[in-house]
Amino acid sequence: MDQVNASIVTEFLLLGLAQSFGTQIFFGLLFSLFYVGILFGNLFIVFIVIFDSHLHSPMYILLANLSLIDLGLSSTTIPRTISDIFTGCKVISFHSCMIQMFFIHVMGGVEMVLLIAMAYDRYIAICKPLHYLMIMNPKTCIILVVAAWVIGMIHAVSQFMFVINLPFCAPYNVGSFYCDFPRVIKLACMDTYKLEFVVSANSGFISMCTFFFLITSYIFILVNVRQHSSTDLSKAFFTLSAHITVVVLFFIPCMFLYVWPFPTKSLDNFFAIVDFVLTPILNPTIYTLRNKDMRLAIRRLSRQVLSSNEFT
């Protein structure tokens, strides 16, 4: 398309998750139910980490930050999607679209770094337990969290600066139920090959490399444990299995969304739902059900609530 056909765009068109009205309502109710679970599940982890002194350790501080990011990532898309389903609105303003894309990639970049930090924390705890308190001190933990936010911002800004001033041509149909860089770039009135490559490199290939790095790191930890004591292998695997599950849930959809060369609307929507809906609600479940310290903290909280009710 020629750039002369470009005009100042004020809004984009979004596609619904389904064509039939009944299916749309089903998705609206399902997303509402899941979003309530995401809110309560992730805020509960933050609450219990803050108020239970037994959880004031680097691993759980990082976990609380991960819960906040999961909640933030889900909140960039799901509330608006629910609203659009029940109001029948299929339009998003240009500024809302830009803001949505920006915060999706801020949250995604922060979560990526937090998962690396949590892997590093488990490596020190399992492979160098005597040095754990010296290496993973509160200062290190703060540095890791701040670094995650800085890298997340850089990750988002490095793509956002290329998209914000693009000339766009009608029809302004994003082709999905939310805005994201790959879809919006395709609407530009210019050759977007280089920009699409930048997005693929910044989001897709970095996600893929980070995923394989993390999986390799966890395998290295397990091999290291096995060399020292085969009896500790099952315990280490049980501890790391929750982290590995979270890594797989986060990175597999990212790789398909940004690297897969043959995207389809149904496949994109499926992986987007996994990223924005399923992963944020599964993470609290995985960490609470498979973590002994979290289960003990929940029991302590339950006893405190019951004892306070008895006095009242």
Side-chain angles (χ1 to χ4, degrees), residues 1 166-169 171 173-174 180-190 192 195-196 263 268:
M1 284 182 282
L166 283 177
F168 294 101
C169 294
N173 194 328
V174 175
D180 202 1
F181 288 127
R183 297 171 184 82
V184 172
I185 285 173
K186 290 181 184 297
L187 304 178
C189 304
M190 58 182 290
T192 60
L195 287 178
E196 288 178 45
D268 277 2

Side-chain angles (χ1 to χ4, degrees), residues 53-91:
S53 59
H54 297 85
L55 300 180
H56 291 175
S57 64
M59 175 184 170
Y60 296 106
I61 293 171
L62 293 173
L63 175 58
N65 278 275
L66 181 68
S67 293
L68 283 176
I69 293 302
D70 277 337
L71 177 57
L73 185 62
S74 181
S75 298
T76 58
T77 56
I78 300 307
R80 183 181 182 91
T81 301
I82 294 169
S83 173
D84 289 348
I85 288 172
F86 289 116
T87 60
C89 178
K90 293 186 177 180
V91 173

Side-chain angles (χ1 to χ4, degrees), residues 31-47 62-80 103-104 106-108 110-111 114 149 250 275-284:
F31 278 20
S32 299
L33 181 65
F34 271 78
Y35 189 64
V36 170
I38 290 166
L39 277 171
F40 280 101
N42 286 287
L43 288 177
F44 176 74
I45 286 183
V46 175
F47 172 84
L62 293 173
L63 175 58
N65 278 275
L66 181 68
S67 293
L68 283 176
I69 293 302
D70 277 337
L71 177 57
L73 185 62
S74 181
S75 298
T76 58
T77 56
I78 300 307
R80 183 181 182 91
F103 280 104
I104 284 173
V106 169
M107 299 297 171
V110 175
E111 181 152 352
L114 282 177
W149 278 99
F250 177 75
D275 237 1
F276 296 124
V277 181
L278 293 182
T279 302
I281 200 170
L282 285 176
N283 283 358

Side-chain angles (χ1 to χ4, degrees), residues 12-290:
F12 292 104
L13 297 175
L14 300 174
L15 287 182
L17 288 165
Q19 297 298 322
S20 69
F21 176 76
T23 309
Q24 287 272 45
I25 295 300
F26 169 76
F27 274 116
L29 294 173
L30 188 66
F31 278 20
S32 299
L33 181 65
F34 271 78
Y35 189 64
V36 170
I38 290 166
L39 277 171
F40 280 101
N42 286 287
L43 288 177
F44 176 74
I45 286 183
V46 175
F47 172 84
I48 204 164
V49 169
I50 291 173
F51 290 100
D52 193 312
S53 59
H54 297 85
L55 300 180
H56 291 175
S57 64
M59 175 184 170
Y60 296 106
I61 293 171
L62 293 173
L63 175 58
N65 278 275
L66 181 68
S67 293
L68 283 176
I69 293 302
D70 277 337
L71 177 57
L73 185 62
S74 181
S75 298
T76 58
T77 56
I78 300 307
R80 183 181 182 91
T81 301
I82 294 169
S83 173
D84 289 348
I85 288 172
F86 289 116
T87 60
C89 178
K90 293 186 177 180
V91 173
I92 183 171
S93 70
F94 175 82
H95 294 295
S96 295
C97 183
M98 294 295 125
I99 290 169
Q100 187 179 64
M101 289 191 299
F102 179 77
F103 280 104
I104 284 173
H105 285 267
V106 169
M107 299 297 171
V110 175
E111 181 152 352
M112 194 181 300
V113 180
L114 282 177
L115 289 172
I116 294 172
M118 292 175 77
Y120 177 69
D121 174 80
R122 289 302 84 199
Y123 165 73
I124 300 298
I126 294 172
C127 298
K128 298 184 178 181
L130 297 178
H131 300 90
Y132 181 76
L133 293 177
M134 182 178 66
I135 297 173
M136 291 302 296
N137 53 56
K139 182 180 178 181
T140 302
C141 198
I142 292 170
I143 290 171
L144 289 171
V145 172
V146 172
W149 278 99
V150 170
I151 293 171
M153 290 292 292
I154 293 171
H155 166 72
V157 170
S158 63
Q159 297 176 89
F160 187 74
M161 62 187 293
F162 290 111
V163 178
I164 187 68
N165 293 317
L166 283 177
F168 294 101
C169 294
Y172 308 118
N173 194 328
V174 175
S176 183
F177 64 93
Y178 70 102
C179 289
D180 202 1
F181 288 127
R183 297 171 184 82
V184 172
I185 285 173
K186 290 181 184 297
L187 304 178
C189 304
M190 58 182 290
D191 182 9
T192 60
Y193 174 78
K194 291 182 179 178
L195 287 178
E196 288 178 45
F197 177 78
V198 168
V199 170
S200 294
N202 202 320
S203 294
F205 292 117
I206 290 177
S207 296
M208 190 164 59
C209 293
T210 306
F211 172 73
F212 287 115
F213 169 76
L214 286 171
I215 295 299
T216 304
S217 300
Y218 286 127
I219 293 172
F220 173 80
I221 293 171
L222 291 172
V223 170
N224 194 289
V225 171
R226 187 175 182 274
Q227 288 175 348
H228 288 84
S229 173
S230 58
T231 56
D232 291 336
L233 182 62
S234 58
K235 182 180 177 182
F237 181 77
F238 183 82
T239 302
L240 295 180
S241 60
H243 296 270
I244 294 170
T245 304
V246 169
V247 166
V248 170
L249 284 171
F250 177 75
F251 283 102
I252 294 297
C254 288
M255 288 189 287
F256 271 93
L257 287 170
Y258 298 107
V259 180
W260 185 247
F262 310 108
T264 61
K265 177 179 177 290
S266 58
L267 196 63
D268 277 2
N269 282 347
F270 170 75
F271 283 114
I273 290 170
V274 171
D275 237 1
F276 296 124
V277 181
L278 293 182
T279 302
I281 200 170
L282 285 176
N283 283 358
T285 307
I286 291 166
Y287 281 115
T288 52
L289 293 180
R290 295 187 63 86

